[in-house]
Amino acid sequence: MKKPLLIICLLSILFPCLANATEVDYKKFGRIASVVVKEDYPGQAVKDYHYLGRKQLTSEKVSDTFEFTVQENNRDKRVLIIVVHDLENEKTLNITVHE
């Protein structure tokens, strides 16, 4: 086992709340991004979904980026949803949609 993987495994065992916090954030903001796509593309099929990662914007603010593939008029369209939120109070600050 490589050292970085070993460290991550040990941290997950010793501090399970750290591992769960990221998963909870991913699920919560992924649901928000899914709702936005369904609202912006009503009746269109969502074919694919990927979590692209998190960026630290300030000490308290982060952005999570999600990529969706939406089928619109028999063509696939790539849609990025960026959710900016505050780590301290867990409030969503901004949602941006890019085609």
Side-chain angles (χ1 to χ4, degrees):
M1 186 178 276
K2 294 183 179 181
K3 286 184 181 182
L5 185 56
L6 178 63
I7 292 170
I8 291 170
C9 290
L10 287 174
L11 286 174
S12 296
I13 293 167
L14 295 173
F15 303 100
C17 60
L18 293 177
N20 291 338
T22 302
E23 184 179 332
V24 169
D25 286 349
Y26 171 84
K27 287 180 181 180
K28 175 182 177 179
F29 296 107
R31 283 192 301 270
I32 291 170
S34 295
V35 169
V36 170
V37 166
K38 289 177 185 174
E39 287 291 320
D40 283 2
Y41 300 92
Q44 306 303 318
V46 177
K47 295 175 61 179
D48 205 4
Y49 165 85
H50 294 285
Y51 176 62
L52 299 181
R54 174 174 282 184
K55 290 184 184 175
Q56 190 80 33
L57 303 175
T58 67
S59 61
E60 296 136 8
K61 287 186 351 185
V62 296
S63 69
D64 287 314
T65 303
F66 302 87
E67 178 184 54
F68 292 84
T69 303
V70 179
Q71 188 170 26
E72 186 176 54
N73 300 326
N74 294 326
R75 296 188 68 195
D76 287 348
K77 181 179 279 192
R78 181 176 170 243
V79 179
L80 292 178
I81 307 291
I82 302 169
V83 182
V84 177
H85 54 98
D86 191 310
L87 292 173
E88 289 292 316
N89 61 20
E90 298 181 10
K91 292 192 179 192
T92 303
L93 302 173
N94 188 19
I95 300 172
T96 308
V97 180
H98 296 282
E99 290 185 3

